[in-house]
Amino acid sequence: MRIRRFRSHLIVSGMDPVRQMRKTIHLYLIKPSHYDDDGYVVRHWRGVLPSNTLACLAGLTEEAIRQRNLAPKYKIKVHLLDETVEKIPVQKICRSERWGLAKNIVCLAGVQTNQFPRACDLAHALRKAGVTVMIGGFHVSGYLALLREIPADIQALFDDGVTVVKGEVEETWGQLLEDAIAGRLELLYDFLDAKPDLYTKPIPVVRRKYLRRFVASNFGTLDCGRGCPFECSFCTIINVQGRKMRYRSAEHIAEAIRRNYKENGVTFYFFTDDNFARNKNWEAIFDVMIRLRTEEHIPVEFMMQVDVLSWKLKNFVSKARQAGCINVFIGMESVAPENLAAAGKKQNRVDEYRQLIQAYRDSDITSHVGYILGFPFDTVDSIRLDLKFLTEEVQPDHASFFLLTPLPGSMDHIRMQQSGKWMHPDFNFYDSQHEVTRHPHLRDGSWKETYFEAWKTFYSLSNMRAILRRGSRVNYWNNFLRFVWYKNSIQTEGRHPMMCGYFRLKGRKERRPGMPILPRREYYPKRAREIYGYLRSMFRVLTEMEELWLQTRYPSAAEQRVAEELAKLRGKYGQLKLADLQAAYMRAKVHFPTLRVPSKVQLFWAKWSPLLAQNKVFTRADLHAFWTGVRVRWDQQRWFHIPIHKVPLNLFRDVQLSVLFLLHVSREL
Ligand code: B12
Ligand code: SF4
């Protein structure tokens, strides 16, 4: 190992660290994003999943400031920044450091492999101004866990005076902060073998200001435990967090949930444990949550990740539902036993998959399976057959597809490296959505094509309709909204939903070093075309989802009452007067308060409500056919053949449907 033994802060400044100490300290906890294929930083107007690492480090910081009594000595301002939803003010931080306005400490947090190149670029830029920079997370931890040599990119960080932290810091964060403030940071900290006991460690802290950048601001994250006892070869968790399970105290978790509910309105959690079913404290955690829901009336719900054997644990599924679980993510990975065997996933039994999904469905918990493409025995044809089996036989409610990726920290990575097999040299592409190795049967782009085909097949109108009809009414909107998120990510941006948000933002100058900054005249027209493309695609997703809603929706109680009243008027449609209709609505106690609708709309509703109420299929297929006809004639320049007189009514019907649809969707958000 080649690490020069000097203190990172001294290298650049060359000054006595004690003299550098300033009163105001800005502590930036930054979750970096990554670059898209064009080299632009990926950022969205609104995100979907907040970062749990930021929440964890925020909790640890609060405690460190309290325990080490730092507040009287320094004015510490903590900034939580997530580059996937906001711009990082690199210039501002550098200016503040150069002008000596404050001491700035930047922690690049929870850096995953695909974010590592971006994190390095940020680190180097900040170091040029002398900012103290630390980097931690799964990439550096996993990468250094299995390698014997220090790789060149990490050495470059050391050379620039960046501190690399390997492992978890629940027991050492306070000391690291003090070292950073005092300018005595080492270049490498290795905590991998000193895994912290989490039982009474600070719980991740949720901040309302941060949550506002996400679609659902009632959404919090929490890791109730860490580690996993299994041995999958593509997984990095076991080599970083270990195979011995560690967990938090149930009472601590309850306290955090209570506080987050009262102070920040958080009612939904993503428990980020990789395998909640193997958390030895699961029952105690479920019990306190049941108590919170029933005795304290805190309407908390959550989703969690579990293994395929979880349904067999006595009381696990039923208690999970009582505790508020509405969705489980299951590492199914493949339906081909030979692939599972090759990945060391011995615990997965394909013949039990259907029972597993049904066990959760019976308890009104929706299932989401993780599915990997590119295992050794996969071919284009076998994947198609497997998908058919997955959708028709196993019948999960959701699926996420990933390309098999040798992530640093996994056994796959180290084996490939030892056998000298080709792996893509650019970590930016290690996001499970790019081909970074060579597959024996999936060549010439067919791997990625099959990947997109898998998304398309699973999220086809027919499969989504089948899922909604199969599921119970309580989960209708939970499933539906996830479909909107998934369809929009894959169809509009071609991005994995877990790396996507709503409406992609870009900065002309936020481009990967080495790639040209386009002149304005070139960049903006290109960007305008791109935005137009997004909007068109979002519109297409919206109409498709509207169709799905129309075909599957449950009528509301008010609608049912209207339908009953209108049924009494049936047969009189010919001579129906507006006053009769209004009287019927009054009797049903519906005054259309949400829409102050003109009389025509009421007539339209009068016609269709009974059909909807009887749960008969209703569709916007006629509208779709009409607009397609208009577009075709327009494109063929047969303008006189466009039935102009029908346009206003159809437009009106379409807008009305869209408004109703959006009203329903927004009510569920
Ligand atoms: C939750 C989660 C997500 C969420 C993230 C949002 C969220 N809610 O946090 C979602 C679903 C979006 C997600 C997506 C993905 N994920 Co993910 N995810 C996780 C998971 C299960 C938990 C993360 C977590 O909160 N851990 C708890 C925190 C506290 O741990 P931590 O980040 O390691 O931080 C600790 C230390 O590392 C250290 N530390 C961290 N940062 C810093 C910084 C400094 C300065 C210091 C001193 C210390 C320090 O202190 C922390 C406390 O001890 C992890 C697995 C895991 N067990 O961590 C996978 C994991 C991180 N994900 C992984 C992957 C591959 C992905 C995806 C690429 C998959 C995909 N295609 O969708 C995407 C990438 C998304 C992206 N580009 O951002 C891999 C990353 C491996 C790697 N080498 O990159 C992991 C490890 C799982 C795996 N399969 O191996 N993920
Ligand atoms: S079951 Fe999941 S978390 Fe556990 S080793 Fe396998 S992939 Fe990793």
Side-chain angles (χ1 to χ4, degrees):
M1 265 200 193
R2 185 169 71 89
I3 313 169
R4 277 180 234 130
R5 305 297 300 173
F6 44 62
R7 287 178 182 165
S8 62
H9 204 72
L10 292 175
I11 318 160
V12 171
S13 64
M15 284 171 63
D16 179 358
V18 181
R19 281 179 49 210
Q20 281 200 331
M21 215 179 274
R22 298 170 197 123
K23 230 178 159 209
T24 306
I25 290 164
H26 288 289
L27 175 66
Y28 291 94
L29 303 176
I30 299 178
K31 170 89 180 161
S33 182
H34 70 151
Y35 298 108
D36 65 16
D37 291 357
D38 238 2
Y40 289 99
V41 173
V42 176
R43 184 159 46 90
H44 287 90
W45 170 66
R46 284 287 175 275
V48 182
L49 294 162
S51 161
N52 187 49
T53 312
L54 284 185
C56 263
L57 294 182
L60 293 178
T61 307
E62 273 184 13
E63 197 197 56
I65 293 175
R66 211 175 25 245
Q67 265 193 357
R68 291 176 181 254
N69 207 18
L70 296 176
K73 284 189 249 166
Y74 314 101
K75 196 169 153 201
I76 303 183
K77 293 189 179 163
V78 184
H79 310 265
L80 247 65
L81 300 175
D82 186 334
E83 200 179 18
T84 62
V85 285
E86 64 198 298
K87 249 185 182 167
I88 305 301
V90 177
Q91 295 312 325
K92 191 178 139 201
I93 302 172
C94 291
R95 249 194 328 268
S96 152
E97 187 70 25
R98 280 204 189 100
W99 295 353
L101 301 176
K103 177 163 179 68
N104 298 280
I105 302 168
V106 169
C107 299
L108 296 164
V111 179
Q112 301 188 10
T113 298
N114 72 92
Q115 298 157 342
F116 184 64
R118 172 65 185 159
C120 289
D121 292 341
L122 285 172
H124 291 306
L126 290 160
R127 283 302 298 150
K128 274 200 189 120
V131 176
T132 303
V133 183
M134 288 193 265
I135 180 169
F138 251 80
H139 177 72
V140 291
S141 304
Y143 202 19
L144 296 176
L146 298 184
L147 294 181
R148 275 192 222 114
E149 294 289 313
I150 294 283
D153 42 11
I154 301 246
Q155 185 62 48
L157 290 176
F158 292 148
D159 292 346
D160 216 0
V162 177
T163 294
V164 176
V165 182
K166 177 177 162 194
E168 297 164 53
V169 294
E170 268 69 13
E171 272 153 19
T172 43
W173 182 246
Q175 189 55 51
L176 279 172
L177 277 188
E178 278 195 339
D179 286 358
I181 292 171
R184 52 164 188 257
L185 278 176
E186 300 287 331
L187 286 174
L188 176 68
Y189 288 86
D190 184 351
F191 305 125
L192 207 65
D193 294 331
K195 298 199 171 36
D197 175 6
L198 296 176
Y199 200 69
T200 52
K201 291 294 176 306
I203 300 272
V205 163
V206 170
R207 287 200 179 178
R208 194 190 281 261
K209 195 172 152 219
Y210 173 52
L211 291 187
R212 279 206 202 106
R213 296 189 175 275
F214 293 83
V215 177
S217 55
N218 67 333
F219 190 109
T221 58
L222 191 53
D223 52 331
C224 302
R226 293 188 196 152
C228 179
F230 296 114
E231 286 179 282
C232 311
S233 66
F234 54 83
C235 182
T236 61
I237 286 132
I238 37 184
N239 297 318
V240 175
Q241 296 183 339
R243 293 182 58 204
K244 185 166 173 272
M245 302 302 295
R246 290 162 293 136
Y247 49 84
R248 297 187 191 275
S249 127
E251 286 310 325
H252 267 71
I253 291 172
E255 190 42 49
I257 293 176
R258 216 176 270 127
R259 189 179 73 185
N260 287 338
Y261 174 64
K262 289 188 183 135
E263 291 172 13
N264 299 310
V266 175
T267 52
F268 189 83
Y269 283 89
F270 174 13
F271 288 161
T272 61
D273 309 39
D274 289 287
N275 195 343
F276 195 94
R278 303 300 141 192
N279 182 326
K280 295 204 171 77
N281 212 22
W282 68 260
E283 194 150 19
I285 297 172
F286 284 168
D287 284 340
V288 292
M289 294 197 61
I290 295 171
R291 232 173 47 222
L292 287 176
R293 283 163 62 84
T294 54
E295 292 169 20
E296 298 181 36
H297 308 291
I298 298 179
V300 61
E301 289 184 327
F302 65 95
M303 62 195 223
M304 60 178 177
Q305 311 192 90
V306 294
D307 61 61
V308 291
L309 303 175
S310 55
W311 66 288
K312 293 186 175 175
L313 287 172
K314 197 165 168 246
N315 292 334
F316 184 79
V317 180
S318 59
K319 271 209 167 172
R321 185 67 194 104
Q322 288 173 51
C325 178
I326 58 168
N327 180 258
V328 279
F329 182 91
I330 304 165
M332 193 167 270
E333 327 300 8
S334 178
V335 296
E338 62 278 18
N339 279 334
L340 292 166
K345 198 125 195 165
K346 297 177 215 127
Q347 69 274 24
N348 284 26
R349 295 274 310 273
V350 179
D351 53 350
E352 291 179 350
Y353 279 177
R354 194 181 167 122
Q355 273 169 288
L356 153 78
I357 299 296
Q358 196 55 43
Y360 281 104
R361 186 171 293 131
D362 288 345
S363 286
D364 276 342
I365 297 176
T366 60
S367 54
H368 181 169
V369 299
Y371 200 94
I372 297 178
L373 305 175
F375 281 123
F377 297 95
D378 278 339
T379 63
V380 173
D381 291 337
S382 76
I383 291 175
R384 285 190 185 136
L385 280 176
D386 289 350
L387 279 172
K388 199 167 152 51
F389 180 78
L390 182 76
T391 51
E392 292 175 10
E393 297 298 320
V394 182
Q395 299 186 343
D397 300 313
H398 304 277
S400 278
F401 299 96
F402 304 90
L403 297 189
L404 184 65
T405 303
L407 288 166
S410 66
M411 288 317 290
D412 281 355
H413 182 258
I414 204 78
R415 279 182 200 137
M416 286 196 73
Q417 201 188 50
Q418 282 165 355
S419 59
K421 286 198 181 134
W422 181 85
M423 287 184 278
H424 203 298
D426 189 348
F427 284 139
N428 190 59
F429 299 125
Y430 283 56
D431 58 358
S432 318
Q433 208 183 0
H434 284 84
E435 298 178 18
V436 294
T437 59
R438 294 198 178 108
H439 193 279
H441 314 300
L442 300 162
R443 288 180 172 269
D444 304 323
S446 65
W447 195 356
K448 196 136 180 207
E449 270 167 34
T450 322
Y451 166 81
F452 281 107
E453 190 182 316
W455 285 105
K456 219 168 154 190
T457 310
F458 195 90
Y459 293 95
S460 61
L461 188 65
S462 59
N463 196 39
M464 289 192 293
R465 188 175 50 214
I467 292 166
L468 290 175
R469 288 197 175 144
R470 233 174 3 235
S472 73
R473 186 172 182 158
V474 284
N475 285 322
Y476 181 85
W477 281 106
N478 166 20
N479 280 330
F480 194 95
L481 292 176
R482 195 179 287 265
F483 290 154
V484 177
W485 164 26
Y486 271 51
K487 283 248 20 132
N488 185 58
S489 311
I490 279 293
Q491 216 163 293
T492 304
E493 285 195 39
R495 297 186 66 75
H496 194 290
M498 289 175 189
M499 296 190 297
C500 203
Y502 282 93
F503 208 78
R504 174 71 201 279
L505 300 177
K506 260 187 193 180
R508 187 172 68 94
K509 293 186 183 164
E510 285 178 321
R511 207 166 189 198
R512 204 168 178 182
M515 296 186 94
I517 306 287
L518 296 183
R520 285 190 180 84
R521 64 173 191 289
E522 214 177 301
Y523 175 81
Y524 288 110
K526 196 171 163 215
R527 183 76 183 124
R529 280 194 299 277
E530 217 170 65
I531 292 176
Y532 175 67
Y534 280 153
L535 293 175
R536 275 189 67 161
S537 171
M538 282 168 101
F539 182 73
R540 241 176 271 134
V541 171
L542 193 80
T543 51
E544 201 178 330
M545 296 317 288
E546 191 179 296
E547 177 70 32
L548 179 68
W549 174 67
L550 288 168
Q551 292 191 18
T552 54
R553 65 191 284 272
Y554 291 90
S556 68
E559 249 178 85
Q560 269 168 337
R561 287 200 304 276
V562 170
E564 280 162 24
E565 287 301 328
L566 289 176
K568 295 178 194 161
L569 300 177
R570 218 175 271 174
K572 289 199 214 160
Y573 275 151
Q575 330 105 39
L576 208 61
K577 288 194 215 97
L578 196 56
D580 298 332
L581 271 179
Q582 278 165 342
Y585 279 99
M586 296 296 274
R587 282 198 300 279
K589 298 191 178 56
V590 177
H591 313 289
F592 272 106
T594 45
L595 279 181
R596 286 264 153 240
V597 276
S599 52
K600 275 254 163 113
V601 181
Q602 285 192 340
L603 278 169
F604 170 77
W605 265 97
K607 201 163 161 211
W608 289 112
S609 302
L611 291 178
L612 291 176
Q614 285 158 28
N615 214 2
K616 290 216 177 105
V617 172
F618 181 48
T619 165
R620 61 182 299 287
D622 59 328
L623 283 168
H624 180 71
F626 176 78
W627 295 120
T628 309
V630 169
R631 209 184 45 243
V632 168
R633 284 172 197 147
W634 180 273
D635 289 347
Q636 294 169 346
Q637 302 187 350
R638 290 163 54 213
W639 294 304
F640 294 113
H641 291 89
I642 295 174
I644 295 283
H645 62 291
K646 290 188 182 165
V647 168
L649 181 65
N650 281 328
L651 191 65
F652 178 73
R653 284 178 59 207
D654 226 354
V655 170
Q656 191 210 5
L657 271 182
S658 302
V659 169
L660 284 170
F661 172 59
L662 291 174
L663 276 174
H664 276 81
V665 170
S666 59
R667 211 178 49 196
E668 300 302 326
L669 281 175

